[in-house]
Every structure is written in structure tokens, then in C-alpha cells.
Amino acid sequence: LEDFRNSICLGAVDIAETTDLCSAKILLMKKDDPKKYIHSMYWIPEGKLTRGNDDKTAGAKYKEWAKAGMLRICEGNFINASVIADWFYYLYNAYGFRTYITGYDVKYSNAFIDKMDEYGFSSEPIWQNPKVMSDPIKMVEADLLSRLIYGLNEIDKWCLSNASLKMYDDGLCILEKIRGQASRRIDGAVTLAILYEIYKRHRTTFEINVGV
């Protein structure tokens, strides 16, 4: 992250309250470099672990990931989405990252939006439907195949491995869990697609500021 100190970035958030992961990501780029550098954070409520609903059978390692600094465990049974806004503010204070705009899934987003507004950070709703999400999903796939996405952590890769595509007759698609298995969390994959939708919408201004 030190390599990007005082950089402009794009943000994305997929919010949950109880069962799923909360996920947030930023996208950073360098001058004359087509690669996208991703930095992520995740949150789960403490109650998810104490109730034995730890998704271990699906490959989750929540306690290990928390010790490694990739995941934060929130007290109680619910996540207050304002803590995600606090993370963006932390990145601003610690590294000078100026988030140009952050895309968010509308569900459970009120506390997040309020706190982002309080910090003076711009945010934009990204609706989770095939018409909106098909293009960014295909963009993520293309950049993964071209090895243009860097910085994905172990949770990111786990979420991607749990994701499958639901295809429609008109060529549109949406992400869903493999065989509908509830314990296979895909929140990180969804957030990456949201991040790419924000990148698609604001690419020209963002890349001019970065100097790509």
C-alpha cells in the first residue's frame, strides 16, 4: 500500500447484517500500467462463530483470516455497516487514499451511506441485477484471464472459487453460489464486480487523475 500513498482510488462494498460476509474493496492503478491493484477487507459478526455457523465445511477459515488482518470480527450478532465507512476513513488517514467514488449494493446500506456522507465520501448505488452486473462480471473474467488483477487475498480467492454464473437467454448473467450452497460465500466476488462497474462508469475521469 505504501507504493500508492496519497493516490486516488475507487471503492466498492457488499453489505450483510448477519449470515453473509461484509466485503469492501478499493481499486488502485499506476501511471502507464494497465493492471488493477485490489485491496480488500471483510467483516463478520461474532455471533456467526459462536453459533457454530462458521462455514468451515465450505473452506472458510474466519479465525485464521482475522488473525492475518484480512477479516474483522464485530461484536454481537449484527454488523453495523458504518464500520465499513470507518475503514475507508482509516485508509484515508493511514495512506492518504482519496476515494473518488464508492459503489455499494443497496441492501442494508443506510448506516453505511450516512457514515460515508459524514466523512464527505461520495458513493453510488449499484443495483444487483443482470442488466447492471453482466458487463462488469465479464470485465472481471477478462482481466483475471489476462492476469491484470493483483493483490487478491485468500478470502477473495475463496469467494471467487464459490461463485458461478447464472446465464440468461439474452446473454446477460449474474453471480450466484455454486449449486445454491448457502455456506459458499461469494460476497468478495460480488464486490469485485461492483468495483468494476464503478470503474466502467468513471473510468475516463479516474484514469486521467491517475495518469494511466
Side-chain angles (χ1 to χ4, degrees):
L1 294 180
E2 285 291 345
D3 292 344
F4 293 93
R5 181 169 285 280
N6 298 321
S7 294
I8 293 174
C9 64
L10 298 174
V13 171
D14 184 44
I15 302 168
E17 284 189 330
T18 54
T19 306
D20 287 342
L21 290 165
C22 275
S23 170
K25 286 177 166 52
I26 58 169
L27 184 155
L28 296 150
M29 295 186 74
K30 296 178 180 179
K31 185 176 181 180
D32 301 322
D33 184 351
K35 293 187 285 292
K36 284 85 172 176
Y37 296 87
I38 309 296
H39 180 61
S40 306
M41 182 56 67
Y42 291 84
W43 295 259
I44 58 167
E46 184 181 30
K48 181 176 174 63
L49 301 180
T50 58
R51 291 193 303 269
N53 185 21
D54 60 3
D55 304 326
K56 193 172 183 179
T57 56
K61 305 173 186 176
Y62 293 134
K63 291 182 180 178
E64 291 180 28
W65 291 336
K67 287 180 181 177
M70 294 180 282
L71 169 73
R72 296 180 181 179
I73 300 172
C74 302
E75 221 175 286
N77 293 316
F78 302 93
I79 296 173
N80 183 334
S82 66
V83 300
I84 306 174
D86 293 339
W87 180 71
F88 285 99
Y89 188 61
Y90 158 77
L91 292 176
Y92 172 73
N93 281 327
Y95 299 99
F97 292 159
R98 292 160 289 157
T99 309
Y100 178 68
I101 195 160
T102 298
Y104 63 91
D105 179 8
V106 178
K107 198 173 183 181
Y108 309 127
S109 61
N110 288 342
F112 170 75
I113 298 167
D114 290 345
K115 200 63 177 289
M116 290 291 276
D117 288 345
E118 185 180 319
Y119 286 135
F121 296 153
S122 298
S123 53
E124 183 173 329
I126 305 295
W127 296 96
Q128 299 299 294
N129 61 61
K131 187 175 180 180
V132 173
M133 297 301 288
S134 288
D135 282 349
I137 288 169
K138 292 171 184 177
M139 290 167 66
V140 168
E141 181 184 33
D143 273 1
L144 284 171
L145 290 171
S146 300
R147 299 184 180 276
L148 291 176
I149 300 178
Y150 281 70
L152 297 181
N153 65 31
E154 188 177 343
I155 311 180
D156 295 328
K157 294 173 185 177
W158 179 64
C159 288
L160 285 166
S161 74
N162 292 331
S164 62
L165 283 181
K166 181 177 181 179
M167 302 298 300
Y168 295 87
D169 292 339
D170 57 5
L172 299 180
C173 62
I174 196 76
L175 290 171
E176 64 178 15
K177 297 174 182 179
I178 292 177
R179 293 184 292 277
Q181 296 179 18
S183 60
R184 289 185 176 272
R185 308 298 167 190
I186 64 170
D187 310 271
V190 171
T191 308
L192 190 57
I194 292 172
L195 189 59
Y196 264 68
E197 175 61 16
I198 281 293
Y199 171 71
K200 186 186 80 169
R201 293 183 186 185
H202 300 278
R203 178 175 182 173
T204 301
T205 304
F206 174 64
E207 290 190 349
I208 287 173
N209 279 284
V210 172
V212 174

